[in-house]
Structures are given as C-alpha cells and as structure tokens.
Amino acid sequence: PRPGESDPVPDPAPTRPAEGLPPTAREKIDALTEKRREALEDDPGSCPIEIPPEWVMTTAETYAAGYANAAKLDGAAALGPAFMKVVLNKRYINDSCASTVDVSSEVNFDYEGKRQLPPTKATFLSYGFMPTTATMTLEQVGPPAAIHTHTVTNTPTYPEETTVTAQLVMRLSDVEVNGVPLDVGPDCRTERPFEQVLKGYGQSYPPAGYLVAYGGTLTGYAHIPPFEGCGATEDLDPIFTSAISSPGKKADNYTKMTQAPLCVATNPEGPDCPPRVPDPER
C-alpha cells in the first residue's frame, strides 16, 4: 500500500546543511524541512524539495595540489598548488522519499587573475630514452568546473560521493630535448579541450574520506587529445601527439589531487582561514 493509506507516514530523512553555512541558512533549511514534513502528511508523494539557492549559496576558497601521470611517458607531473574560488550550494535538493541529498556547486581556478593552474615544469624520458623537459600549463575553459555531491541519508554515517568535472586545455612551453631547447612556438596546445573528472568518497558521521568542506583526496583519469600549433619553424604536432596524447578515446592518464579544507566566506575567522596549501599525495 502507499504510505498514508494503511501505513503511517514515515518521517522524512533529516536535511543535512552543507558545512560552513551561516546559522540563518541552517534555520531556513530547518524551516523548509518542517514544511516538507507537513507536506508529506498531506501528500506522501510530494518529493523532492529544492531549496532556493539564495537561502544557502555561499562562497569559499581553498587550494589543491597533486600529480598527473603521463602514461606514455611513464612519469608524473606535479599539479598546483592551485588556488580555487568555490561557489557552494548553487542547487540543493533534498529528496526525503529517496533518502538522498544532492548538492551542486562550482569552482574556478585562479592563478595571477587567469583561470588556470600554475605552470609546472616536468621532466620525462620521451620514447623511453630521450630526456625531455617542458613547462605544462592547464587552462580552464568553458563554464566553471562542476562539483556534484550525492549523499545517502538513511544510514547513520551519511555516505557521500563527490564528482568534480572540469574542461581543460594543456599548453606546452620551454621545451628542451636532451638539454637542447626546442622552439615549440607560443601556441603549442591540445587541439581541443579535454574533460578531467575526479571523484572522492567520504562520510559525514564521523567525518572521514573526502568531503567538500573538509577536503581530502580526489582521483580520476583523463584522455589527452592530439596537439596542434606546436613548432615555430617546423610542424612538431605529430611528435607531441605521439609522445603524450592518449590513443583513441582511452582515458589512461591518472590524476590524484589533494584538496585543503574550505575557507568559507561566512566564517572568515574560522580555523581553515586563510586557506592553506595541502601536501600532495602520490
């Protein structure tokens, strides 16, 4: 039977406010939860509820650092520390019927006023024997990177999965092969943006693993497209495509990033402000 016909209407799962929200926002969420409870008594199928962003949205800052493997080069490049500007809770949906909470946030990288990670110098053995050094820059393109957190609320630990999706372009400069400079020109880059997807897993009670507010480790893979615009006097695109790009659409370049806790704008005197740089993990 449907809830409410012969069975008592169950209490909806409690709303879990995003960490770092100001008390007034928590109070508003509590008020909406109470309205949801009343609505369920009148209409048991009235799920889910979406909380207006102006009630819960806030900004935050943090750093992330890590490593990205270049599978073909059998090596890894350091990433960051990347400064990130975060907008939390652009969408907040509490589905009491499904016992889930889904939160959508967004983030932009910021390096000297540009949407990018800081340039990093990496050294690899191209084709397994030729020492190659290059400066790699990852530029963020398109919309802000999307952060989606899915929390299950019908278990005491509140397990959650977070997915971060960013669109990036890789640029190469200051290339040296066996100690000899190689002029790649001013616009050596991947021919199109590629998608970097990172995932983190954690739980709220007690806090463990990756949580957006507390940080932690995110991992994922990326497919690196072919290169274009490489070479000042000769076409070097095939060389970099052969040495770096993933074959076909295979996403075989592993990335591991460590995020520091958020410094939330509503709590500028908190223990995580100003944001600190995390220690990257290999």
Side-chain angles (χ1 to χ4, degrees), residues 117-141:
L117 282 76
T120 183
K121 188 172 286 291
T123 300
F124 303 98
L125 290 177
S126 299
Y127 305 107
F129 66 90
M130 189 179 301
T132 303
T133 300
T135 296
M136 179 184 74
T137 303
L138 292 176
E139 298 178 347
Q140 186 179 358
V141 297

mmCIF file of all heavy atoms in Angstrom, residues 117-141:
data_model
loop_
_atom_site.group_PDB
_atom_site.id
_atom_site.type_symbol
_atom_site.label_atom_id
_atom_site.label_comp_id
_atom_site.label_asym_id
_atom_site.label_seq_id
_atom_site.Cartn_x
_atom_site.Cartn_y
_atom_site.Cartn_z
ATOM 1 N N LEU A 117 45.729 26.534 -13.682
ATOM 2 C CA LEU A 117 46.621 26.094 -12.635
ATOM 3 C C LEU A 117 47.976 26.743 -12.858
ATOM 4 O O LEU A 117 48.300 27.139 -13.987
ATOM 5 C CB LEU A 117 46.760 24.574 -12.639
ATOM 6 C CG LEU A 117 45.611 23.763 -12.033
ATOM 7 C CD1 LEU A 117 44.418 23.713 -12.973
ATOM 8 C CD2 LEU A 117 46.082 22.343 -11.717
ATOM 9 N N PRO A 118 48.794 26.872 -11.829
ATOM 10 C CA PRO A 118 50.120 27.445 -12.044
ATOM 11 C C PRO A 118 50.935 26.564 -12.980
ATOM 12 O O PRO A 118 50.840 25.336 -12.933
ATOM 13 C CB PRO A 118 50.722 27.486 -10.636
ATOM 14 C CG PRO A 118 49.923 26.526 -9.826
ATOM 15 C CD PRO A 118 48.558 26.518 -10.415
ATOM 16 N N PRO A 119 51.743 27.171 -13.862
ATOM 17 C CA PRO A 119 52.605 26.364 -14.743
ATOM 18 C C PRO A 119 53.523 25.471 -13.919
ATOM 19 O O PRO A 119 53.967 25.845 -12.825
ATOM 20 C CB PRO A 119 53.400 27.421 -15.517
ATOM 21 C CG PRO A 119 52.576 28.664 -15.428
ATOM 22 C CD PRO A 119 51.901 28.610 -14.093
ATOM 23 N N THR A 120 53.787 24.292 -14.439
ATOM 24 C CA THR A 120 54.662 23.355 -13.738
ATOM 25 C C THR A 120 55.671 22.773 -14.718
ATOM 26 O O THR A 120 55.349 22.511 -15.884
ATOM 27 C CB THR A 120 53.842 22.237 -13.080
ATOM 28 O OG1 THR A 120 54.703 21.384 -12.341
ATOM 29 C CG2 THR A 120 53.096 21.406 -14.115
ATOM 30 N N LYS A 121 56.910 22.611 -14.266
ATOM 31 C CA LYS A 121 57.960 22.047 -15.114
ATOM 32 C C LYS A 121 58.078 20.566 -14.822
ATOM 33 O O LYS A 121 58.138 20.142 -13.666
ATOM 34 C CB LYS A 121 59.295 22.744 -14.863
ATOM 35 C CG LYS A 121 60.398 22.344 -15.852
ATOM 36 C CD LYS A 121 61.623 23.196 -15.668
ATOM 37 C CE LYS A 121 61.426 24.591 -16.206
ATOM 38 N NZ LYS A 121 61.329 24.622 -17.695
ATOM 39 N N ALA A 122 58.099 19.792 -15.871
ATOM 40 C CA ALA A 122 58.167 18.334 -15.733
ATOM 41 C C ALA A 122 59.266 17.776 -16.634
ATOM 42 O O ALA A 122 59.543 18.322 -17.709
ATOM 43 C CB ALA A 122 56.818 17.707 -16.093
ATOM 44 N N THR A 123 59.890 16.699 -16.191
ATOM 45 C CA THR A 123 60.929 16.023 -16.965
ATOM 46 C C THR A 123 60.539 14.566 -17.155
ATOM 47 O O THR A 123 60.185 13.883 -16.187
ATOM 48 C CB THR A 123 62.294 16.117 -16.260
ATOM 49 O OG1 THR A 123 62.656 17.492 -16.110
ATOM 50 C CG2 THR A 123 63.369 15.399 -17.069
ATOM 51 N N PHE A 124 60.587 14.114 -18.402
ATOM 52 C CA PHE A 124 60.240 12.741 -18.726
ATOM 53 C C PHE A 124 61.297 12.155 -19.649
ATOM 54 O O PHE A 124 62.145 12.872 -20.200
ATOM 55 C CB PHE A 124 58.881 12.677 -19.440
ATOM 56 C CG PHE A 124 57.749 13.288 -18.667
ATOM 57 C CD1 PHE A 124 57.312 14.581 -18.931
ATOM 58 C CD2 PHE A 124 57.097 12.560 -17.688
ATOM 59 C CE1 PHE A 124 56.266 15.136 -18.234
ATOM 60 C CE2 PHE A 124 56.041 13.111 -16.982
ATOM 61 C CZ PHE A 124 55.626 14.398 -17.256
ATOM 62 N N LEU A 125 61.215 10.853 -19.840
ATOM 63 C CA LEU A 125 62.014 10.177 -20.859
ATOM 64 C C LEU A 125 61.117 9.898 -22.050
ATOM 65 O O LEU A 125 60.334 8.942 -22.062
ATOM 66 C CB LEU A 125 62.606 8.875 -20.317
ATOM 67 C CG LEU A 125 63.709 9.009 -19.276
ATOM 68 C CD1 LEU A 125 64.145 7.639 -18.787
ATOM 69 C CD2 LEU A 125 64.907 9.764 -19.860
ATOM 70 N N SER A 126 61.181 10.769 -23.063
ATOM 71 C CA SER A 126 60.356 10.577 -24.254
ATOM 72 C C SER A 126 60.795 9.316 -24.985
ATOM 73 O O SER A 126 61.997 9.080 -25.184
ATOM 74 C CB SER A 126 60.487 11.785 -25.189
ATOM 75 O OG SER A 126 60.037 12.950 -24.542
ATOM 76 N N TYR A 127 59.811 8.529 -25.364
ATOM 77 C CA TYR A 127 60.041 7.269 -26.072
ATOM 78 C C TYR A 127 60.954 6.334 -25.281
ATOM 79 O O TYR A 127 61.595 5.446 -25.825
ATOM 80 C CB TYR A 127 60.622 7.525 -27.469
ATOM 81 C CG TYR A 127 59.774 8.449 -28.286
ATOM 82 C CD1 TYR A 127 60.186 9.759 -28.537
ATOM 83 C CD2 TYR A 127 58.540 8.040 -28.782
ATOM 84 C CE1 TYR A 127 59.399 10.626 -29.270
ATOM 85 C CE2 TYR A 127 57.744 8.906 -29.511
ATOM 86 C CZ TYR A 127 58.176 10.196 -29.748
ATOM 87 O OH TYR A 127 57.391 11.058 -30.468
ATOM 88 N N GLY A 128 61.033 6.565 -23.974
ATOM 89 C CA GLY A 128 61.767 5.667 -23.108
ATOM 90 C C GLY A 128 63.244 5.924 -22.978
ATOM 91 O O GLY A 128 63.923 5.272 -22.182
ATOM 92 N N PHE A 129 63.780 6.907 -23.717
ATOM 93 C CA PHE A 129 65.241 7.084 -23.640
ATOM 94 C C PHE A 129 65.677 8.542 -23.764
ATOM 95 O O PHE A 129 66.817 8.869 -23.429
ATOM 96 C CB PHE A 129 65.929 6.265 -24.740
ATOM 97 C CG PHE A 129 65.627 6.738 -26.128
ATOM 98 C CD1 PHE A 129 66.425 7.690 -26.756
ATOM 99 C CD2 PHE A 129 64.554 6.221 -26.830
ATOM 100 C CE1 PHE A 129 66.147 8.127 -28.038
ATOM 101 C CE2 PHE A 129 64.269 6.654 -28.113
ATOM 102 C CZ PHE A 129 65.064 7.608 -28.715
ATOM 103 N N MET A 130 64.833 9.455 -24.218
ATOM 104 C CA MET A 130 65.261 10.818 -24.513
ATOM 105 C C MET A 130 64.772 11.772 -23.419
ATOM 106 O O MET A 130 63.578 12.008 -23.287
ATOM 107 C CB MET A 130 64.693 11.264 -25.870
ATOM 108 C CG MET A 130 65.247 12.581 -26.380
ATOM 109 S SD MET A 130 64.519 12.995 -27.992
ATOM 110 C CE MET A 130 65.019 11.580 -28.964
ATOM 111 N N PRO A 131 65.679 12.336 -22.585
ATOM 112 C CA PRO A 131 65.259 13.261 -21.533
ATOM 113 C C PRO A 131 64.596 14.507 -22.132
ATOM 114 O O PRO A 131 65.187 15.201 -22.968
ATOM 115 C CB PRO A 131 66.566 13.628 -20.824
ATOM 116 C CG PRO A 131 67.537 12.569 -21.224
ATOM 117 C CD PRO A 131 67.132 12.135 -22.597
ATOM 118 N N THR A 132 63.379 14.767 -21.721
ATOM 119 C CA THR A 132 62.614 15.903 -22.225
ATOM 120 C C THR A 132 62.051 16.697 -21.050
ATOM 121 O O THR A 132 61.434 16.130 -20.150
ATOM 122 C CB THR A 132 61.460 15.433 -23.122
ATOM 123 O OG1 THR A 132 61.987 14.653 -24.204
ATOM 124 C CG2 THR A 132 60.688 16.605 -23.684
ATOM 125 N N THR A 133 62.285 18.004 -21.068
ATOM 126 C CA THR A 133 61.764 18.890 -20.036
ATOM 127 C C THR A 133 60.834 19.905 -20.690
ATOM 128 O O THR A 133 61.145 20.435 -21.764
ATOM 129 C CB THR A 133 62.903 19.637 -19.316
ATOM 130 O OG1 THR A 133 63.771 18.681 -18.708
ATOM 131 C CG2 THR A 133 62.356 20.557 -18.235
ATOM 132 N N ALA A 134 59.704 20.168 -20.059
ATOM 133 C CA ALA A 134 58.744 21.122 -20.605
ATOM 134 C C ALA A 134 57.965 21.766 -19.476
ATOM 135 O O ALA A 134 57.787 21.182 -18.404
ATOM 136 C CB ALA A 134 57.789 20.440 -21.576
ATOM 137 N N THR A 135 57.506 22.983 -19.729
ATOM 138 C CA THR A 135 56.584 23.641 -18.817
ATOM 139 C C THR A 135 55.164 23.364 -19.293
ATOM 140 O O THR A 135 54.834 23.617 -20.458
ATOM 141 C CB THR A 135 56.829 25.162 -18.766
ATOM 142 O OG1 THR A 135 58.144 25.398 -18.233
ATOM 143 C CG2 THR A 135 55.802 25.845 -17.885
ATOM 144 N N MET A 136 54.366 22.813 -18.407
ATOM 145 C CA MET A 136 52.996 22.444 -18.741
ATOM 146 C C MET A 136 52.034 23.380 -18.008
ATOM 147 O O MET A 136 52.174 23.617 -16.807
ATOM 148 C CB MET A 136 52.715 21.003 -18.331
ATOM 149 C CG MET A 136 51.299 20.533 -18.626
ATOM 150 S SD MET A 136 50.985 18.857 -18.009
ATOM 151 C CE MET A 136 50.854 19.175 -16.242
ATOM 152 N N THR A 137 51.075 23.915 -18.741
ATOM 153 C CA THR A 137 50.056 24.785 -18.152
ATOM 154 C C THR A 137 48.674 24.232 -18.488
ATOM 155 O O THR A 137 48.376 23.979 -19.655
ATOM 156 C CB THR A 137 50.172 26.224 -18.676
ATOM 157 O OG1 THR A 137 51.488 26.721 -18.413
ATOM 158 C CG2 THR A 137 49.155 27.129 -18.004
ATOM 159 N N LEU A 138 47.859 24.046 -17.457
ATOM 160 C CA LEU A 138 46.477 23.597 -17.645
ATOM 161 C C LEU A 138 45.554 24.791 -17.492
ATOM 162 O O LEU A 138 45.468 25.399 -16.415
ATOM 163 C CB LEU A 138 46.116 22.515 -16.629
ATOM 164 C CG LEU A 138 46.829 21.173 -16.801
ATOM 165 C CD1 LEU A 138 46.460 20.220 -15.676
ATOM 166 C CD2 LEU A 138 46.505 20.546 -18.150
ATOM 167 N N GLU A 139 44.887 25.144 -18.587
ATOM 168 C CA GLU A 139 43.971 26.276 -18.599
ATOM 169 C C GLU A 139 42.533 25.775 -18.509
ATOM 170 O O GLU A 139 42.146 24.830 -19.203
ATOM 171 C CB GLU A 139 44.141 27.091 -19.885
ATOM 172 C CG GLU A 139 45.522 27.698 -20.055
ATOM 173 C CD GLU A 139 45.653 28.461 -21.362
ATOM 174 O OE1 GLU A 139 44.758 28.309 -22.227
ATOM 175 O OE2 GLU A 139 46.638 29.193 -21.526
ATOM 176 N N GLN A 140 41.742 26.417 -17.676
ATOM 177 C CA GLN A 140 40.329 26.084 -17.551
ATOM 178 C C GLN A 140 39.544 26.850 -18.607
ATOM 179 O O GLN A 140 39.727 28.059 -18.789
ATOM 180 C CB GLN A 140 39.836 26.449 -16.150
ATOM 181 C CG GLN A 140 38.425 26.006 -15.857
ATOM 182 C CD GLN A 140 38.006 26.367 -14.437
ATOM 183 O OE1 GLN A 140 38.788 26.909 -13.674
ATOM 184 N NE2 GLN A 140 36.772 26.060 -14.089
ATOM 185 N N VAL A 141 38.689 26.149 -19.330
ATOM 186 C CA VAL A 141 37.887 26.776 -20.373
ATOM 187 C C VAL A 141 36.417 26.425 -20.142
ATOM 188 O O VAL A 141 36.076 25.517 -19.382
ATOM 189 C CB VAL A 141 38.325 26.315 -21.777
ATOM 190 C CG1 VAL A 141 39.761 26.749 -22.064
ATOM 191 C CG2 VAL A 141 38.206 24.800 -21.930
#
